[in-house]
Amino acid sequence: VQLQASGGGLVQAGGSLRLSCAASGRTFTKDRMGWFRLAPGKEREFVAGLVWRMTFYADSVKGRFTISRDDAKDTVSLQMNSLKPEDTALYYCAARCGPSWQPDTCDYWGQGTLVTVSS
């Protein structure tokens, strides 16, 4: 089972990026899938999650980020708009997470993709 994250990069404040996470080895259609991030000096934190068609967001990204799933491609995407310097972090996708969306409740992790937002 593998989760492959992509789409990170360098963007100016106010800009947009779209992250994608492709699953292989099994499908996660019925599972909670989410995005987390790890910023320098901080702990890994929940960003956005999705199960069936229900979505969940951290307060810090509500109204700016949108998580979505393409079942046919077994991918989960994170559209990030109005990016801020404080969004700079290593972003990870995860699957089979618990309802609390705590990082230690997720069974599968992709590698991180770096998002850098310049001011």
Side-chain angles (χ1 to χ4, degrees):
V1 177
Q2 189 174 20
L3 299 177
Q4 182 72 37
S6 61
L10 173 64
V11 64
Q12 288 188 330
S16 299
L17 281 175
R18 185 177 181 86
L19 306 182
S20 292
C21 178
S24 60
R26 62 159 286 171
T27 60
F28 296 100
T29 307
K30 299 181 180 180
D31 297 311
R32 291 179 182 82
M33 294 190 71
W35 288 92
F36 297 76
R37 65 188 181 188
L38 180 62
K42 295 186 177 181
E43 294 185 351
R44 191 176 302 196
E45 65 174 0
F46 169 76
V47 174
L50 180 151
V51 58
W52 292 106
R53 294 303 177 211
M54 294 185 292
T55 57
F56 305 85
Y57 297 96
D59 288 343
S60 59
V61 306
K62 279 181 183 177
R64 300 189 297 121
F65 291 10
T66 302
I67 187 171
S68 60
R69 186 202 300 263
D70 185 333
D71 289 336
K73 297 181 179 179
D74 212 6
T75 61
V76 174
S77 297
L78 185 68
Q79 177 66 42
M80 305 185 296
N81 299 328
S82 302
L83 283 161
K84 304 176 182 179
E86 51 263 44
D87 294 318
T88 295
L90 201 56
Y91 283 72
Y92 298 86
C93 62
R96 285 198 68 187
C97 301
S100 67
W101 295 109
Q102 292 297 313
D104 59 2
T105 67
C106 301
D107 291 336
Y108 300 97
W109 289 89
Q111 89 291 358
T113 184
L114 183 62
V115 172
T116 304
V117 185
S118 63
S119 57

